[in-house]
Amino acid sequence: MNNIDQATQQRIQQWLSTEYDEATVAQVQQLIDNNEETELLDSFYKELEFGTGGLRGIMGVGSNRMNKYTIGKATQGLANYLKKQFPDQPIKVAVSYDSRNNSQQFGHLVADVFSANGIHVYLFKELRPTPMLSFAVRHFECQGGVMLTASHNPKEYNGYKAYWNDGGQLVAPHDKNVITEVNAIQSVAEIRFDRVADNITLIDESFDDLYVNANQGLSIHPEAVLAQKDLKIVYSSIHGTGITIVPKMLKAWGFENVHLVEEQATPDGNFPTVIYPNPEEEEAMSKAKQKGQEIDADVVMATDPDADRVGLAVKNRKGEMQLLNGNQIGSLLIFYVLSSKAEQATLQKNDFIVKTIVTSNLMTDISSGFGVKHYETLTGFKFIGEVMTRLEGQENYLVGGEESYGFLVGDLVRDKDAVNACAFIAEMAAYFKSQGKTLFDVLLDIYGTYGFYQEKLISLTKKGKAGAEEIKQMMADLRANPPQTLGGIQVKEIRDYQAQRSYVIADDSQTSIDLPKSDVLQFITVDGDVISARPSGTEPKIKFYCSVKEQLTAADAYEHVSAKLEEKVKNIMADIVKD
């Protein structure tokens, strides 16, 4: 281990002690015996930390891996923090898990540790989606909650999403404070693993009805669903939790013609039919899209393993199933909710929508068009949830979304909810079909009114310690030598969310950015194009976002304008994405 720093070697030696079980010690020793220095370094060079999605990593032995001890330590730290924050009251938490390998085992482990700390646990008896965990935290008036999932990451990953008493994921100061509590645990002996059965209540299937009925109460146009109950819907759960609740939700809303992608309907942590279980990926949507083409579906939907993200394909003007991106899906939902409420004269002065800083400005253009206030947050739906909680009782949240396929209509939970979104996408399709329009037709109408936005995301994967350092250097280089032009277009403004400052290049003027510090850079061109760079908080990636805009004067011009914008995006990205 000559090339491994001393601090990392100390962590490795600690994991060889008798504090750890024999199987764990044997696995660490095998890595040493096989001289697997890169794996040892990546497994032990740091402690797992909370990012935009909580605790997330590759499963295996080590302080930087998802395993019994890192999860136990995180749970003990969270338990200690909850006790300090709520000293004079009985503490309750909710725990759920998805279909990933070890998720159920990890979920029971989390319940054991909480119960051993005298905390009452509401544990889902079977796998259920992330939004249902958020709903359970609020329903049972818990002080916290934990969801075991790595969302849409590859199969070798698992994760741990921690929730606060509002049903939202941990945000400042609680996220950092929990890390402090976790880091204060110096020994495995401080982790209470011994289950106290009396402190655990199982949540059974009857809870599904509470969640479904509450969502059904949000329906805007039930008459449209009744008129279009035979709407052809294809749905895939991509081997995840969605299969437990999305078909129930669609049936309860009145849809009678739902076709499942059967080969992806069985929960399976190996995700055997896809490369990545991520509805953002065209490959992951391919089976659902193919089935949709075969039966001439009106909408094709697929959710990720923990059912908080949804992908969508709709019929284009040629009658082909066309995938929509997260910006397009979110814009359609916002337009549907706001236009319907405007039509029903139920919009209120204190209504608002929320989006993240890397999400299309089309959403804010739509809200402005209806005179509805909008808020912007940092990347991560937990920040949208934070705005909802902060404004609760003062202003009225309607709908929000982010480009990474996360949406929420109504305020039943404080996280993105693909189950809720599936129901509203289906209702939206039914409503517009009653008017003789497909969702693609409506999207073109939106472009004609507010401008044709085209966006692209490029992600570069940089694994391990070396990758993390490379990503850090890439961001440092962009700050030290920001581009003056992108795609031949002059950069007008630079927004540095780490420095919380916006710089206008022409006159060197500065304004402050009223958001928490975050490692994000944005470059705005004289054309109004927005190009963003940020390291992912949940994956070993650096992400580059590009959004460009042009007027769409006629629906027939869609393909021509789209090709023109695609070329513009290509040229811009070539100047900023250096692999």
Side-chain angles (χ1 to χ4, degrees):
M1 298 194 295
N2 296 332
N3 298 318
I4 298 179
D5 62 275
Q6 189 173 357
T8 302
Q9 290 199 38
Q10 287 176 346
R11 286 195 196 92
I12 294 170
Q13 288 303 316
Q14 185 181 358
W15 280 63
L16 290 170
S17 72
T18 54
E19 287 187 333
Y20 296 84
D21 62 61
E22 290 181 7
T24 296
V25 172
Q27 289 178 65
V28 177
Q29 189 62 53
Q30 186 174 12
L31 291 174
I32 296 170
D33 293 344
N34 294 341
N35 201 30
E36 296 186 44
E37 288 195 350
T38 300
E39 180 62 27
L40 281 165
L41 185 61
D42 289 346
S43 298
F44 287 96
Y45 82 93
K46 67 172 184 176
E47 304 279 347
L48 277 178
E49 298 173 354
F50 284 95
T52 57
L55 195 68
R56 192 174 299 187
I58 294 170
M59 290 177 279
V61 294
S63 60
N64 189 38
R65 294 288 187 251
M66 292 292 294
N67 53 63
K68 170 184 176 180
Y69 297 102
T70 53
I71 291 170
K73 188 175 179 181
T75 307
Q76 186 64 54
L78 179 54
N80 292 346
Y81 186 64
L82 286 168
K83 286 182 173 183
K84 288 181 179 179
Q85 290 294 300
F86 306 98
D88 300 317
Q89 54 184 291
I91 301 173
K92 298 177 287 185
V93 298
V95 177
S96 188
Y97 49 89
D98 71 1
S99 61
R100 286 181 174 272
N101 295 329
N102 298 316
S103 279
Q104 183 179 34
Q105 175 188 335
F106 289 159
H108 283 264
L109 171 69
V110 169
D112 290 351
V113 175
F114 278 132
S115 72
N117 280 273
I119 292 172
H120 196 88
V121 183
Y122 290 93
L123 173 65
F124 278 84
K125 188 176 180 180
E126 297 176 333
L127 74 168
R128 284 297 184 273
T130 288
M132 289 189 69
L133 183 277
S134 177
F135 185 78
V137 170
R138 295 172 63 80
H139 177 78
F140 292 112
E141 298 181 337
C142 297
Q143 284 81 7
V146 173
M147 177 73 193
L148 282 304
T149 178
S151 189
H152 58 287
N153 283 59
K155 65 182 180 181
E156 62 266 25
Y157 282 79
N158 215 313
Y160 180 109
K161 293 181 180 179
Y163 289 76
W164 202 239
N165 62 356
D166 63 342
Q169 290 185 52
L170 293 186
V171 293
H174 303 304
D175 52 357
K176 301 297 183 186
N177 290 347
V178 169
I179 285 293
T180 300
E181 290 289 343
V182 173
N183 291 340
I185 297 170
Q186 298 299 309
S187 168
V188 171
E190 297 176 52
I191 305 171
R192 298 175 183 174
F193 285 111
D194 295 331
R195 180 187 188 95
V196 177
D198 289 346
N199 287 340
I200 298 176
T201 299
L202 294 179
I203 301 175
D204 61 23
E205 273 192 42
S206 63
F207 189 76
D208 294 353
D209 294 335
L210 295 174
Y211 172 73
V212 168
N213 292 340
N215 272 280
Q216 203 177 343
L218 300 173
S219 173
I220 301 173
H221 284 294
E223 78 289 346
V225 176
L226 186 63
Q228 301 291 340
K229 63 183 181 181
D230 290 328
L231 188 82
K232 286 184 183 177
I233 299 170
V234 169
Y235 170 69
S236 172
S237 59
I238 315 183
H239 305 290
T241 59
I243 196 67
T244 66
I245 196 72
V246 172
K248 288 182 185 179
M249 183 74 81
L250 292 172
K251 183 178 180 180
W253 280 49
F255 294 103
E256 299 178 358
N257 197 8
V258 179
H259 301 258
L260 300 180
V261 180
E262 295 293 349
E263 57 266 51
Q264 295 181 327
T266 302
D268 188 337
N270 292 315
F271 310 115
T273 65
V274 295
I275 298 172
Y276 298 108
N278 184 357
E280 297 178 65
E281 301 283 345
E282 185 173 352
E283 183 269 337
M285 293 287 296
S286 60
K287 288 188 179 297
K289 184 180 170 186
Q290 181 182 350
K291 191 175 185 73
Q293 196 74 52
E294 289 171 0
I295 70 167
D296 191 32
D298 295 290
V299 292
V300 171
M301 300 182 287
T303 54
D304 67 342
D306 66 323
D308 63 355
R309 299 170 191 248
V310 59
L312 172 65
V314 298
K315 279 190 287 191
N316 62 21
R317 288 165 64 85
K318 298 177 182 177
E320 303 164 337
M321 298 310 302
Q322 180 165 328
L323 293 173
L324 301 188
N325 63 38
N327 288 305
Q328 292 170 322
I329 301 167
S331 296
L332 279 167
L333 282 168
I334 287 172
F335 178 77
Y336 171 65
V337 172
L338 300 192
S339 62
S340 295
K341 287 186 174 295
E343 177 189 315
Q344 295 171 349
T346 57
L347 280 177
Q348 303 171 37
K349 288 183 179 179
N350 63 348
D351 287 340
F352 70 93
I353 66 124
V354 196
K355 77 173 192 72
T356 68
I357 58 174
V358 296
T359 301
S360 178
N361 286 328
L362 177 56
M363 296 186 187
T364 55
D365 288 351
I366 293 170
S367 65
S368 297
F370 285 97
V372 173
K373 189 187 298 185
H374 72 268
Y375 291 94
E376 277 199 333
T377 72
L378 296 177
T379 308
F381 211 93
K382 66 178 185 178
F383 296 112
I384 293 178
E386 182 183 28
V387 171
M388 294 170 66
T389 294
R390 175 165 51 86
L391 297 176
E392 191 170 15
Q394 306 165 48
E395 299 183 24
N396 183 42
Y397 170 87
L398 294 180
V399 57
E402 54 184 0
E403 56 76 37
S404 55
Y405 294 60
F407 319 103
L408 175 67
V409 181
D411 64 352
L412 293 176
V413 302
R414 291 289 182 275
D415 209 341
K416 52 188 178 284
D417 187 344
V419 187
N420 162 281
C422 282
F424 271 100
I425 288 168
E427 178 178 290
M428 173 170 64
Y431 174 73
F432 287 116
K433 187 172 184 179
S434 292
Q435 298 181 353
K437 293 182 177 182
T438 67
L439 289 183
F440 194 80
D441 293 332
V442 178
L443 185 62
L444 294 185
D445 290 345
I446 291 171
Y447 285 158
T449 303
Y450 302 102
F452 187 167
Y453 281 82
Q454 188 142 311
E455 284 92 10
K456 186 175 181 65
L457 166 65
I458 294 179
S459 297
L460 302 182
T461 300
K462 307 286 182 180
K463 294 184 177 180
K465 185 172 188 270
E469 290 172 350
E470 188 178 351
I471 289 172
K472 188 176 180 181
Q473 188 59 51
M474 291 171 79
M475 293 299 292
D477 291 345
L478 279 173
R479 286 189 168 91
N481 300 292
Q484 300 301 302
T485 61
L486 288 168
I489 306 160
Q490 188 177 349
V491 175
K492 177 181 70 174
E493 179 186 352
I494 300 172
R495 296 173 187 166
D496 188 339
Y497 290 84
Q498 188 71 35
Q500 296 175 302
R501 307 293 292 177
S502 175
Y503 309 85
V504 176
I505 295 173
D507 57 9
D508 203 29
S509 62
Q510 297 186 25
T511 55
S512 62
I513 294 174
D514 188 23
L515 285 172
K517 287 185 178 182
S518 183
D519 192 10
V520 182
L521 283 169
Q522 282 188 327
F523 306 95
I524 292 82
T525 72
V526 292
D527 285 1
D529 312 313
V530 181
I531 302 91
S532 309
R534 63 174 282 269
S536 171
T538 57
E539 301 171 275
K541 293 180 178 181
I542 182 169
K543 296 186 174 185
F544 297 90
Y545 308 77
C546 182
S547 176
V548 298
K549 177 186 177 183
E550 190 165 311
Q551 293 305 308
L552 183 66
T553 54
D556 290 342
Y558 168 77
E559 290 187 6
H560 171 72
V561 177
S562 179
K564 182 180 176 182
L565 291 177
E566 190 173 332
E567 184 67 20
K568 185 177 185 180
V569 168
K570 180 181 174 183
N571 293 334
I572 287 173
M573 286 302 221
D575 280 352
I576 195 168
V577 180
K578 311 292 183 184
D579 191 2

